[in-house]
């Protein structure tokens, strides 16, 4: 797993969704199950979303150039945004169609094959979710982690489809379109979560708890008087940290530089932060005490 690349997860997702969407849409229309049809359309949108994520991952691998001095890593987050927009549009469409069915009471009793199809789909998607979640953790890929959340949502959607179809078989025919409505809500909720996380990162949002942890670790380094400022941002799966530290004003350039190197090594060794920009300032408090 450690030598695998995040693109593998995108390819696995695309393959899984192509199979599931074709099977669900075919069985859904043949068995008259609106819930299974909605589930199939849900998987079809996931194909488009997975393709967008794959393209983002491939672009993110491109090296730095004159127009992109920090690289292309943020393409990964943009792909997550595209995936969110696609999912939201389909979710709204599913909601609209299910509401119309419930309003017009155009209920149809689905066949039992829809139950077996949805059950098999739930098991299959949970396996894909488990695989991509582990791969996202190993590769630290935010786009793949977003895709894994979608996989779990899809597995739960299929379980809901099973409930809706069984209910319809027990003469509660309204339960099938009602399940489709719930599926639409879940699609929209997943899309919103992905959008919120991707937009947070693209606007240089960062986990404040992690920044405080970095600060505490840096201030334990011998020679660091205090941390004046610390900022963090994400470029794809890479963390970039900007730190301003105070050192004793009497230190020469070489000693101050060695302290900065220690800060960089600490962040890389303990937290995997490869890009750390360390700015050094003389500690004015220490200088004032010396004058007294």
């Amino acid at each position: 797993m450690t030598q695998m690349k995040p693109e593998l997860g995108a390819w696995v997702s695309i393959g899984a969704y192509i199979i599931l969407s074709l099977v669900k849409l075919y069985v859904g229309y043949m068995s008259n199950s609106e819930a299974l049809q909605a589930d199939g359309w849900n998987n079809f949108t996931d194909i488009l979303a997975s393709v967008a994520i794959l393209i983002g991952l491939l672009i993110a691998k491109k090296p730095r150039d004159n127009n992109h001095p920090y690289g292309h890593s943020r393409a990964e987050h943009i792909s997550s945004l595209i995936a969110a927009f696609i999912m939201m549009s389909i979710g709204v469409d599913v909601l609209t169609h299910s509401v119309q069915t419930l309003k017009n009471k155009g209920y149809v009793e689905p066949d039992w094959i829809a139950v077996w199809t949805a059950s098999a789909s739930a098991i299959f998607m949970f396996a894909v979710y488990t695989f991509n979640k582990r791969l996202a953790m190993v590769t630290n890929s935010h786009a793949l982690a977003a895709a894994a959340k979608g996989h779990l949502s899809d597995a739960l959607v299929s379980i809901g489809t099973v409930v809706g179809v069984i209910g319809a078989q027990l003469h509660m025919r309204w339960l099938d379109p009602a399940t489709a409505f719930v599926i639409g809500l879940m699609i929209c909720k997943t899309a919103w979560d992905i959008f919120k996380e991707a937009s947070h990162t693209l606007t240089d949002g960062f986990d404040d708890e992690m920044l405080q942890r970095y600060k505490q670790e840096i201030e334990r380094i011998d020679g660091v008087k205090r941390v004046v400022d610390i900022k963090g941002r994400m470029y794809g799966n890479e963390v970039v940290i900007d730190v301003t530290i105070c050192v004793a004003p009497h230190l020469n350039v070489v000693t101050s530089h060695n302290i900065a190197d220690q800060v960089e090594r600490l962040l890389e060794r303990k937290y995997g932060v490869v890009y750390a920009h360390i700015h050094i300032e003389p500690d004015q408090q220490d200088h004032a005490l010396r004058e007294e």
Side-chain angles (χ1 to χ4, degrees), residues 145-160:
K149 288 181 181 180
H151 302 333
L152 180 59
S153 175
D154 292 329
L156 296 174
V157 164
S158 293
I159 293 173

Side-chain angles (χ1 to χ4, degrees), residues 79-108:
S79 69
S80 295
L81 282 180
I82 295 172
F85 287 133
I86 293 171
M87 294 175 69
M88 181 65 75
S89 63
I90 298 299
V92 171
D93 185 65
V94 170
L95 284 172
T96 302
H97 192 272
S98 59
V99 167
Q100 289 176 348
T101 302
L102 289 167
K103 183 179 179 181
N104 299 328
K105 297 184 179 180
Y107 309 140
V108 179

Side-chain angles (χ1 to χ4, degrees), residues 206-215 230 241 271:
F206 200 81
D207 187 350
D208 185 63
E209 185 177 331
M210 286 303 301
L211 285 179
Q212 293 305 314
R213 194 177 302 174
Y214 296 154
K215 180 179 178 181
I230 183 168
I241 299 297
Y271 297 103

Side-chain angles (χ1 to χ4, degrees), residues 123-177:
I123 296 171
F124 185 62
M125 279 314 304
F126 190 78
V128 175
Y129 157 73
T130 303
F131 175 82
N132 275 347
K133 182 183 178 184
R134 290 178 58 197
L135 185 58
M137 292 176 63
V138 170
T139 60
N140 194 30
S141 171
H142 292 266
L144 194 56
K149 288 181 181 180
H151 302 333
L152 180 59
S153 175
D154 292 329
L156 296 174
V157 164
S158 293
I159 293 173
T161 302
V162 172
V163 174
V165 177
I166 290 177
Q169 286 289 336
L170 298 175
H171 307 297
M172 292 184 290
R173 296 181 179 178
W174 57 269
L175 195 55
D176 186 62

Side-chain angles (χ1 to χ4, degrees), residues 4-282:
M4 292 184 181
K5 298 180 179 179
E7 301 95 89
L8 175 62
W11 282 115
V12 169
S13 298
I14 292 169
Y17 284 134
I18 288 175
I19 294 171
L20 290 178
S21 62
L22 290 175
V23 171
K24 287 179 183 176
L25 288 172
Y26 176 77
V27 175
Y29 283 110
M30 294 297 293
S31 63
N32 297 315
S33 173
E34 190 166 330
L36 191 60
Q37 291 173 40
D39 200 357
W41 283 116
N42 175 34
N43 291 152
F44 178 76
T45 62
D46 292 327
I47 296 173
L48 303 178
S50 297
V51 170
I53 288 172
L54 177 61
I55 294 172
L57 291 170
L58 293 175
I59 294 175
K61 290 174 62 179
K62 292 175 63 178
R64 287 185 263 182
D65 55 36
N66 292 334
N67 294 326
H68 302 84
Y70 290 98
H72 299 77
S73 298
R74 283 193 168 176
E76 188 175 337
H77 303 298
I78 295 173
S79 69
S80 295
L81 282 180
I82 295 172
F85 287 133
I86 293 171
M87 294 175 69
M88 181 65 75
S89 63
I90 298 299
V92 171
D93 185 65
V94 170
L95 284 172
T96 302
H97 192 272
S98 59
V99 167
Q100 289 176 348
T101 302
L102 289 167
K103 183 179 179 181
N104 299 328
K105 297 184 179 180
Y107 309 140
V108 179
E109 185 175 311
D111 296 330
W112 275 101
I113 190 174
V115 175
W116 310 124
T117 303
S119 299
S121 173
I123 296 171
F124 185 62
M125 279 314 304
F126 190 78
V128 175
Y129 157 73
T130 303
F131 175 82
N132 275 347
K133 182 183 178 184
R134 290 178 58 197
L135 185 58
M137 292 176 63
V138 170
T139 60
N140 194 30
S141 171
H142 292 266
L144 194 56
K149 288 181 181 180
H151 302 333
L152 180 59
S153 175
D154 292 329
L156 296 174
V157 164
S158 293
I159 293 173
T161 302
V162 172
V163 174
V165 177
I166 290 177
Q169 286 289 336
L170 298 175
H171 307 297
M172 292 184 290
R173 296 181 179 178
W174 57 269
L175 195 55
D176 186 62
T179 301
F181 178 80
V182 174
I183 291 173
L185 288 177
M186 293 182 69
I187 296 172
C188 292
K189 172 64 166 58
T190 303
W192 172 252
D193 289 341
I194 294 173
F195 170 81
K196 186 167 67 171
E197 183 174 344
S199 59
H200 177 73
T201 304
L202 284 171
T203 53
D204 285 337
F206 200 81
D207 187 350
D208 185 63
E209 185 177 331
M210 286 303 301
L211 285 179
Q212 293 305 314
R213 194 177 302 174
Y214 296 154
K215 180 179 178 181
Q216 292 172 5
E217 292 283 352
I218 293 170
E219 287 181 336
R220 293 193 184 103
I221 294 176
D222 188 33
V224 176
K225 296 295 185 178
R226 55 199 172 91
V227 174
V228 177
D229 187 34
I230 183 168
K231 304 184 192 69
R233 59 190 185 279
M234 297 293 302
Y235 282 100
N237 59 355
E238 297 170 347
V239 178
V240 178
I241 299 297
D242 297 293
V243 187
T244 301
I245 60 174
C246 283
V247 300
H250 65 277
L251 297 180
N252 58 38
V253 174
V254 174
T255 304
S256 300
H257 179 72
N258 289 335
I259 293 172
D261 284 344
Q262 290 182 54
V263 174
E264 291 177 356
R265 287 196 295 270
L266 166 73
L267 292 173
E268 181 176 4
R269 184 183 68 253
K270 192 163 186 178
Y271 297 103
V273 178
V274 180
Y275 300 101
H277 306 140
I278 315 300
H279 177 69
I280 297 174
E281 290 186 354

